Amino acid sequence: MPDLLIELFSEEIPARMQARAADDLKKLVTNGLVDAGLTYASAAAFSTPRRLTLTVEGMLDASPSLVEERKGPKADAPEKAIEGFLRGAGLTRDQLEERDTPKGKILFAMINKPGRPAAEIVAEVLETTIRNFPWPKSMRWGSGSLRWVRPLHSILCILSAEDGAQTVPLTIDGITAGDTTRGHRFLAPDTITVSSFDDYSAKLKRAFVVLDPAERRDTIWNDATNMAFANGLEVVEDAGLLAEVAGLVEYPVVLMGQIGDDFLGLPPEVLQTSMKEHQKFFSVRNPKSGRIERFVTVANRTTADDGATILAGNEKVLSARLSDAKFFWENDLRIAQSEAGMQTWVDRLSNVTFHNKLGTQAELISRMEALAGELAPMVGADAEEARAAARFAKADLSSEMVYEFPELQGLMGSYYAKAAGKSDAIAVAAQDHYAPLGPSDDVPTAPVSIAVALAEKIDKLTGFWAIDEKPTGSKDPFALRRAALGVIRILVENDVSMKLRDTILEHLSQAPAPAAGSAEETAENLLSFLHDRLKVYLKDQGVRHDIIDACISSSDGAPAGATDGNDDLTLLVKRAKALSETLKTDDGENLIQGFKRANNILSQAEDADGVEYSFGADIKFAETEEERALFAALDTAEAQIKPAMEAQDFGTAMSAMASLRGPIDAFFDAVQVNSDNATVRRNRLNLLSRIRTICSSVADLTKIDG
């Protein structure tokens, strides 16, 4: 079985495209081979800045021969119909088989498809792949019609076996496939002839090309951390930058440079961001002081002076970049420490549009300020301090530093708030009010930060719901799903109990645009959206969606189907987790079956009789010990559940509900509900109604699957 080696050699491929391109090459080629009948044992793809490589091992040397059976028209069909079938099958009339079927005599064609050599199939598949490669952006060059991300120079395509290597015959837009490649652009630019993947990778390594991007990443990280450690420093981790830099070099050479003393006073985040965004440098930190003191750059070659010239050039360019950052920093500090202070920036935001239907950034800040003041008592924050924090939380959007580096918004606001003499709580809120930005980010925990972060997200959600700009399908241009998940996580992880419905309704009344429907409808729609995000949040914690549905449908002791009380997300989560744990027990699981049996019998009787059996169960009409035992169990459970629910002790309430499993099972085993005695029947149906009412005060068990 031969092995296939493909290399597409071009000008430099953008680093951000390399990993996806390698995966696409592997998928397109291997899928094409399998579709053509060429199976294989394994495949792997690699990328460097100048090449995409695919190796396929254990491939068949030819596709198998096949016999295709094709059903044709009836034997007595018109001659033209038969002739058309013969043309499609490529056969003559005497080559057809005539078979008896329930529908009469039918003509069948047996078409032999001989196998094809692997080289022929590979050539077709590779040409199709190259001509239809899904680059995000591509270009044409010269007079040819081929499009590629950068000019394609050569194609290496060989089939290697024990008896030698065979070049696949293929020419695309004047580029003929061969068995040669080239090494490093500067260190080993000569042509290299290869005979297999092992030969290829070994010769590339000798030619200063590290083929595997994972190996390049490991080399960069190990050399950088060792170099920093030798100087008593540490490299700031950045997986994204590491992957990008590994895609910029074929032969990584790690160098450590100095940052000028004039710039060491800049905030570490400014240094790190400037060096990463402009120079692709890693930051090197002093673990004792926390300052960024040096940088690591990765060259693509060795030099006679061990990189001294490269470092000197990089340090010169870095000095110019950091001079700009220092200028922005000092200008911003002057404004923050002036008499008007950060209010200067807030005033400028009156000229910056947040959304054409929701007003300016300054109007957004005013709404946030009012809402943060209202939320403050609920989260244990000082209302005046929360309003001040909301007023200045977005002020840094007008600063020169954030204009240059938008990713520093919030963080720079924290620095400027401290420089302006604001309290620590206000400074922390400026940095934290955007959080959490992702599912793994920490949520704000300081009371003022919680109030401002909630105000920012609730204002965004109510505003966009008011103008009917909701997420649709996979489209969420205003990150409203992220905002909803942020509200959930902030409330739940800080154990904040809050009636969101009232807050949403109140804030909708202050929205700059009237709600598309009534305020109540808009609020319910938004709460439904939050409930959907809550299901996603709890699913990751092992709580089933039907369990949260059961808790949403029955909240704060409301009867099944009621919605009052389902807006306290923290209590919903506690209740859902308690119910989830209860249903994992035998009593809890079996109780569901008993409850549903009781509910079905009761519902059928109510429909048939046209009445509601909701009261009047009396133990004096009980005829069996099982009935009397169920009366006693319901009395006991009700006495435990009601105070437990009021105290938000959901575990106790769920356990009391689960304790009904035994008496309910015994009741159904021994008692016929639909007794011939009308009084006894009515009493037993009212007893089932008590089961439904008591269980529904904990959760709407009709929503539970199974």
Side-chain angles (χ1 to χ4, degrees):
M1 288 186 173
D3 297 333
L4 171 65
L5 173 62
I6 296 171
E7 182 201 71
L8 306 177
F9 186 83
S10 68
E11 294 294 329
E12 274 70 7
I13 305 168
R16 67 184 183 278
M17 297 184 187
Q18 291 171 21
R20 173 67 183 272
D23 289 341
D24 286 338
L25 177 64
K26 177 181 175 181
K27 180 177 68 175
L28 293 171
V29 171
T30 55
N31 286 353
L33 295 177
V34 171
D35 289 345
L38 288 183
T39 57
Y40 60 93
S42 63
F46 306 91
S47 62
T48 79
R50 295 206 296 162
R51 67 199 81 218
L52 296 178
T53 300
L54 174 66
T55 173
V56 181
E57 297 182 347
M59 191 174 67
L60 294 178
D61 55 7
S63 62
S65 297
L66 301 173
V67 177
E68 178 188 347
E69 181 181 275
R70 190 178 299 179
K71 183 180 178 182
K74 289 185 176 182
D76 57 356
E79 197 62 32
K80 286 189 177 181
I82 296 176
E83 289 176 359
F85 177 65
L86 291 172
R87 282 195 300 272
L91 300 176
T92 60
R93 180 68 175 81
D94 59 345
Q95 291 176 303
L96 299 181
E97 292 184 14
E98 189 175 302
R99 300 179 191 172
D100 290 324
T101 72
K103 294 184 178 181
K105 293 185 177 182
I106 303 293
L107 297 175
F108 287 85
M110 306 300 291
I111 304 172
N112 293 313
K113 291 189 173 182
R116 301 166 61 204
E120 182 181 327
I121 294 173
V122 168
E124 288 182 4
V125 170
L126 184 55
E127 179 169 6
T128 300
T129 297
I130 292 174
R131 291 194 179 279
N132 299 281
F133 204 82
W135 291 110
K137 291 184 179 180
S138 59
M139 61 180 291
R140 288 193 297 118
W141 61 96
S143 58
S145 61
L146 180 65
R147 300 188 68 89
W148 202 245
V149 64
R150 296 290 186 271
L152 185 64
H153 288 319
S154 66
I155 300 172
L156 184 155
C157 189
I158 59 173
L159 289 168
S160 56
E162 293 181 358
D163 57 350
Q166 169 192 359
T167 300
V168 173
L170 171 66
T171 299
I172 301 177
D173 223 40
I175 304 172
T176 300
D179 59 356
T180 62
T181 184
R182 292 181 180 275
H184 192 281
R185 183 186 289 275
F186 304 112
L187 301 177
D190 295 335
T191 299
I192 301 169
T193 302
V194 301
S195 59
S196 67
F197 175 72
D198 290 340
D199 182 45
Y200 168 79
S201 58
K203 287 180 177 177
L204 280 185
K205 185 158 286 190
R206 290 196 294 271
F208 302 96
V209 174
V210 179
L211 182 63
D212 190 347
E215 184 180 348
R216 297 198 299 275
R217 288 195 298 270
D218 291 343
T219 298
I220 292 168
W221 185 249
N222 291 335
D223 289 355
T225 52
N226 289 338
M227 196 175 291
F229 181 77
N231 287 273
L233 305 171
E234 61 185 17
V235 182
V236 178
E237 290 191 41
D238 192 326
L241 179 60
L242 180 59
E244 183 177 7
V245 171
L248 296 174
V249 295
E250 288 195 319
Y251 187 72
V253 177
V254 175
L255 305 170
M256 182 181 289
Q258 298 279 353
I259 299 174
D261 293 341
D262 291 347
F263 309 118
L264 295 180
L266 288 170
E269 297 86 356
V270 172
L271 288 170
Q272 185 177 348
T273 303
S274 179
M275 291 193 294
K276 172 183 176 179
E277 295 300 319
H278 291 147
Q279 307 302 126
K280 308 304 177 188
F281 291 168
F282 293 91
S283 298
V284 181
R285 177 172 53 207
N286 186 328
K288 296 179 181 177
S289 65
R291 292 198 315 175
I292 303 294
E293 296 183 353
R294 295 194 186 183
F295 68 88
V296 163
T297 186
V298 181
N300 192 32
R301 59 173 298 172
T302 57
T303 60
D305 61 359
D306 294 326
T309 302
I310 294 174
L311 274 179
N314 281 326
E315 288 172 353
K316 184 176 181 180
V317 174
L318 178 62
S319 178
R321 290 290 190 186
L322 294 183
S323 293
D324 291 342
K326 183 181 179 184
F327 175 78
F328 299 146
W329 168 248
E330 291 174 348
N331 271 2
D332 288 343
L333 282 182
R334 276 194 290 271
I335 292 175
Q337 294 169 347
S338 67
E339 184 177 348
M342 298 176 73
Q343 187 62 42
T344 303
W345 290 330
V346 176
D347 293 340
R348 289 180 188 171
L349 290 175
S350 61
N351 297 318
V352 179
T353 300
F354 169 63
H355 187 279
N356 62 346
K357 294 182 180 179
L358 297 176
T360 64
Q361 288 280 2
E363 291 171 320
L364 164 65
I365 290 170
S366 295
R367 296 194 300 271
M368 280 178 54
E369 185 177 347
L371 183 53
E374 296 170 10
L375 297 176
M378 305 180 197
V379 300
D382 178 77
E384 189 56 40
E385 195 167 37
R387 280 192 287 268
R391 186 183 315 130
F392 298 115
K394 295 185 180 293
D396 64 347
L397 294 177
S398 296
S399 68
E400 293 186 48
M401 186 68 78
V402 172
Y403 184 83
E404 178 71 11
F405 300 114
E407 59 269 37
L408 293 179
Q409 59 188 277
L411 175 67
M412 297 313 301
S414 177
Y415 279 110
Y416 298 146
K418 291 177 183 177
K422 309 296 182 186
S423 69
D424 289 344
I426 293 175
V428 170
Q431 180 174 349
D432 289 351
H433 81 282
Y434 292 107
L437 292 176
S440 60
D441 288 355
D442 292 335
V443 301
T445 55
V448 172
S449 298
I450 292 172
V452 178
L454 283 174
E456 194 258 354
K457 293 166 181 59
I458 291 174
D459 177 82
K460 177 185 285 188
L461 290 167
T462 55
F464 282 105
W465 249 252
I467 62 174
D468 201 25
E469 289 276 2
K470 306 165 190 172
T472 56
S474 61
K475 295 181 180 178
D476 186 11
F478 304 109
L480 300 178
R481 292 188 180 94
R482 185 174 70 189
L485 184 59
V487 170
I488 292 167
R489 288 190 59 204
I490 291 170
L491 291 173
V492 172
E493 294 178 28
N494 286 292
D495 196 21
V496 174
S497 184
M498 178 186 298
K499 300 291 187 182
L500 275 174
R501 182 179 285 100
D502 294 341
T503 300
I504 292 170
L505 283 170
E506 175 63 26
H507 204 59
L508 279 171
S509 66
Q510 302 171 12
S518 70
E520 289 75 15
E521 290 174 350
T522 302
E524 290 304 323
N525 192 287
L526 178 51
L527 275 174
S528 177
F529 178 74
L530 287 165
H531 288 153
D532 288 342
R533 304 317 298 165
L534 184 63
K535 293 175 190 177
V536 175
Y537 172 74
L538 287 175
K539 181 182 178 182
D540 293 338
Q541 301 182 33
V543 180
R544 304 195 320 249
H545 68 89
D546 58 325
I547 292 176
I548 189 64
D549 279 338
C551 295
I552 289 171
S553 295
S554 176
S555 301
D556 287 351
T563 56
D564 291 341
N566 65 11
D567 59 340
D568 192 326
L569 303 185
T570 300
L571 293 187
L572 274 178
V573 169
K574 290 180 179 178
R575 182 182 291 190
K577 288 183 175 179
L579 180 57
S580 180
E581 291 302 313
T582 299
L583 294 184
K584 292 176 183 177
T585 66
D586 288 340
D587 282 348
E589 184 178 354
N590 292 324
L591 172 67
I592 298 300
Q593 304 308 318
F595 168 84
K596 289 190 173 182
R597 185 176 179 183
N599 187 61
N600 289 338
I601 293 172
L602 180 60
S603 298
Q604 290 169 6
E606 288 178 335
D607 289 342
D609 300 344
V611 297
E612 181 180 319
Y613 295 101
S614 58
F615 62 93
D618 194 327
I619 195 171
K620 71 182 180 182
F621 296 112
E623 294 184 340
T624 67
E625 286 301 320
E626 289 78 7
E627 279 183 273
R628 285 185 278 273
L630 181 55
F631 269 104
L634 290 170
D635 290 339
T636 300
E638 189 171 28
Q640 293 175 338
I641 288 172
K642 187 173 181 180
M645 293 297 290
E646 291 174 352
Q648 300 175 13
D649 183 0
F650 300 120
T652 298
M654 300 294 173
S655 296
M657 181 181 70
S659 70
L660 293 173
R661 174 259 177 117
I664 290 175
D665 287 350
F667 173 82
F668 281 120
D669 287 342
V671 175
Q672 180 181 347
V673 175
N674 289 312
S675 170
D676 293 335
N677 185 319
T679 301
V680 172
R681 175 178 179 273
R682 183 170 58 251
N683 194 61
R684 288 173 177 172
L685 289 171
N686 281 319
L687 185 59
L688 298 188
S689 180
R690 281 198 69 194
I691 296 175
R692 181 168 68 183
T693 300
I694 290 173
C695 290
S696 296
S697 69
V698 178
D700 183 0
L701 299 185
T702 62
K703 300 290 185 181
I704 301 298
D705 293 340

